[in-house]
């Protein structure tokens, strides 16, 4: 990509956008360390462009995810908190972009064992998503699953089961019964792993018989 960009008269903004796309692709293919390099590069390209705080905040939030996936959870939390402060200063306190960053922060808190703090920010992310997209949106289900896991860590088993059941209903309505995300929700929901595996085998058999 470095050599390719030299052959085009691209503005720093366009170059940053291309690098951002590359970083997303690296994240999706499980290469967070390479994504970190590209995201830092994109951030440096934005240094020469005025009025890019919103874009910078989004890049910082994605960088936090990449850093967490690479194993440095404390650094990821710091980056996500910095991104959140940027977003709140320009977008207010109820923008959907904040929910992405808040979910990122909540996941980091959970990884660090700070479950009460994680629950607080995840609940805020859930509220923002529900306000903007309704209570049956797939993004709501994703946060519900994380909130449920947090409740389980805190010992709130009944609340955890309630959240997982709600997330499962949304995912089944959105993706159907055979989506990997639905399988994961069933595994989380079942305390007995063998029961979850039997459920997956049954679904696979039903699917095969319906072909």
């Amino acid at each position: 990509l470095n050599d390719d960009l030299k052959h085009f008269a691209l503005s720093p903004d366009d170059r940053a956008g291309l690098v951002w796309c590359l970083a997303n692709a690296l994240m999706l293919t499980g290469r967070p360390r390479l994504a970190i390099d590209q995201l830092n590069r994109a951030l440096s390209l934005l240094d020469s462009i005025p009025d890019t705080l919103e874009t910078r905040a989004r890049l910082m939030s994605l960088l936090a995810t990449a850093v967490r996936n690479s194993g440095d959870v404390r650094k990821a939390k710091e980056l996500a908190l910095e991104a959140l402060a940027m977003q709140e200063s320009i977008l207010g306190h109820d923008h959907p972009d904040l929910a992405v960053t808040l979910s990122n922060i909540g996941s980091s808190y959970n990884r660090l064992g700070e479950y009460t703090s994680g629950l607080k920010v995840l609940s805020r992310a859930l509220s923002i998503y529900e306000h903007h997209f309704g209570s049956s949106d797939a993004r709501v289900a994703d946060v519900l699953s994380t909130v449920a896991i947090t409740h389980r860590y805190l010992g709130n088993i009944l609340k955890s089961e309630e959240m997982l059941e709600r997330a499962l209903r949304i995912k089944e309505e959105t993706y159907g019964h055979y989506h990997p995300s639905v399988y994961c929700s069933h595994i989380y929901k079942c305390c007995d792993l063998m029961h979850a595996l039997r459920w997956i085998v049954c679904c696979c058999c039903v699917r095969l018989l319906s072909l």
Side-chain angles (χ1 to χ4, degrees):
L1 184 61
N2 284 332
D3 293 335
D4 291 340
L5 290 178
K6 292 177 182 177
H7 297 294
F8 299 95
L10 297 176
S11 68
D13 194 15
D14 290 335
R15 292 172 65 191
L18 285 173
V19 175
W20 186 349
C21 290
L22 174 60
N24 268 310
L26 290 168
M27 286 286 290
L28 290 172
T29 53
R31 292 178 283 180
R33 294 187 185 278
L34 292 176
I36 290 169
D37 293 338
Q38 296 303 325
L39 287 165
N40 281 321
R41 182 181 170 208
L43 286 166
S44 67
L45 287 168
L46 292 179
D47 289 339
S48 60
I49 309 171
D51 302 323
T52 58
L53 190 59
E54 183 176 351
T55 301
R56 181 176 293 276
R58 287 180 177 174
L59 284 170
M60 289 282 288
S61 184
L62 183 58
L63 177 60
T65 301
V67 169
R68 188 181 72 248
N69 290 349
S70 71
D72 194 345
V73 183
R74 292 193 181 279
K75 181 63 175 177
K77 185 183 76 171
E78 293 172 5
L79 288 167
L81 286 169
E82 185 178 347
L84 180 65
M86 291 182 191
Q87 290 172 325
E88 288 180 330
S89 69
I90 55 177
L91 300 173
H93 295 271
D94 192 43
H95 193 278
D97 281 0
L98 270 69
V100 177
T101 306
L102 287 164
S103 297
N104 197 335
I105 295 169
S107 295
S108 293
Y109 275 130
N110 283 353
R111 291 275 295 274
L112 293 168
E114 301 173 32
Y115 304 120
T116 301
S117 297
L119 182 60
K120 182 179 180 180
V121 294
L122 288 167
S123 296
R124 184 180 167 198
L126 181 61
S127 177
I128 292 173
Y129 275 144
E130 288 179 326
H131 173 72
H132 286 280
F133 305 112
S135 59
S136 299
D137 188 82
R139 284 160 287 200
V140 170
D142 289 337
V143 180
L144 278 170
S145 296
T146 310
V147 170
I149 293 168
T150 309
H151 274 297
R152 185 174 291 276
Y153 283 134
L154 289 168
N156 306 326
I157 305 302
L158 292 178
K159 189 68 174 177
S160 175
E161 293 296 324
E162 176 189 333
M163 293 285 189
L164 282 173
E165 183 63 39
R166 185 179 160 201
L168 179 60
R169 286 198 303 269
I170 295 170
K171 289 180 179 181
E172 287 180 334
E173 290 172 1
T174 304
Y175 303 121
H177 295 279
Y178 305 106
H179 192 273
S181 180
V182 175
Y183 293 163
C184 289
S185 292
H186 272 287
I187 290 174
Y188 287 140
K189 186 173 181 294
C190 297
C191 296
D192 182 354
L193 181 59
M194 290 305 297
H195 179 75
L197 292 174
R198 284 197 298 271
W199 182 90
I200 293 173
V201 170
C202 288
C203 281
C204 291
C205 291
V206 170
R207 179 63 173 168
L208 288 171
L209 290 172
S210 66
L211 294 178

